[in-house]
């Protein structure tokens, strides 16, 4: 789950967007990666979604963006 998920246009690169809450029923902490980063707009840093390229955040062009996150556990099982 993503807690948060909103960011203001003009926020600088590295700005916090939201925190991912992940659960692995086998225990452990899954590794997160972005399969779709909304055209380079976002990145993951320490289980947080952050702005990767602030120049691409333009509210007048797009009011929202979709991303796809992949969680990979210690056994190499994945969930998108």
């Amino acid at each position: 789950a993503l807690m948060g998920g909103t960011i203001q246009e003009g926020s600088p690169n590295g700005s916090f967007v939201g925190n991912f809450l992940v659960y692995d029923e086998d225990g452990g902490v899954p590794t997160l990666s972005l399969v779709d980063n909304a055209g380079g707009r976002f990145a993951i840093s320490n289980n947080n979604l952050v702005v990767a390229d602030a120049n691409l955040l333009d509210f007048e062009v797009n009011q929202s963006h979709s991303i796809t996150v992949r969680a990979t556990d210690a056994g190499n099982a994945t969930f998108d």
Side-chain angles (χ1 to χ4, degrees):
L2 177 64
M3 303 302 290
T6 60
I7 189 74
Q8 295 291 321
E9 179 181 20
S11 297
N13 292 350
S15 294
F16 175 84
V17 179
N19 183 355
F20 291 104
L21 300 176
V22 294
Y23 168 76
D24 182 359
E25 62 187 31
D26 298 328
V29 179
T31 301
L32 300 180
S33 60
L34 284 176
V35 176
D36 178 353
N37 61 6
R41 290 173 177 85
F42 302 104
I44 293 178
S45 175
N46 299 320
N47 281 5
N48 294 320
L49 185 66
V50 297
V51 174
D53 190 341
N55 295 318
L56 299 175
L57 298 178
D58 186 341
F59 185 80
E60 288 74 31
V61 175
N62 292 94
Q63 290 78 40
S64 66
H65 302 283
S66 295
I67 61 169
T68 303
V69 179
R70 176 168 291 157
T72 306
D73 70 7
N76 225 19
T78 62
F79 181 81
D80 291 355

